[in-house]
């Protein structure tokens, strides 16, 4: 548990979800223009032999999806951006 991100915390910068650590994108649950609610799972990455669900911090609309399943991601790489 000490190494896993808190699922209630969204990793990233304002208006975006960023990878909390290096990994591989396992699933993308959103498309541009889609409405999301706070806590909605938007992307799942595989790291440290575990799946980690990254969630939206607040409600809004998906602006950009910058990754696809199978993509390698770096720590703090922006994966999804949002707008109001």
């Amino acid at each position: 548990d000490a190494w896993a991100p808190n699922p209630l915390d969204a990793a990233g910068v304002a208006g975006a979800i960023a990878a909390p650590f290096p990994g591989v994108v396992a699933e993308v649950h959103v498309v541009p223009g889609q409405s999301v609610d706070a806590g909605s799972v938007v992307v799942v990455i595989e790291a440290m032999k575990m799946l980690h669900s990254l969630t939206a911090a607040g409600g809004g609309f998906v602006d950009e999806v910058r990754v696809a399943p199978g993509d390698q991601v770096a720590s703090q790489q922006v994966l999804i951006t949002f707008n109001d």
Side-chain angles (χ1 to χ4, degrees):
D1 288 338
W3 295 102
N6 182 342
L8 300 177
D9 292 338
V13 295
I17 296 287
F21 32 71
V24 176
V25 175
E27 302 170 12
V28 177
H29 291 264
V30 295
V31 295
Q34 182 176 335
S35 174
V36 294
D37 295 321
S40 297
V41 174
V42 294
V43 67
V44 177
I45 62 171
E46 182 179 351
M48 299 175 278
K49 297 185 181 182
M50 295 174 51
L51 295 175
H52 305 275
S53 297
L54 305 182
T55 59
F61 293 91
V62 176
D63 186 36
E64 277 186 286
V65 176
R66 298 184 179 183
V67 292
D71 289 353
Q72 289 277 135
V73 295
S75 181
Q76 298 306 310
Q77 177 180 336
V78 173
L79 310 177
I80 310 282
T81 61
F82 302 95
N83 58 38
D84 292 334

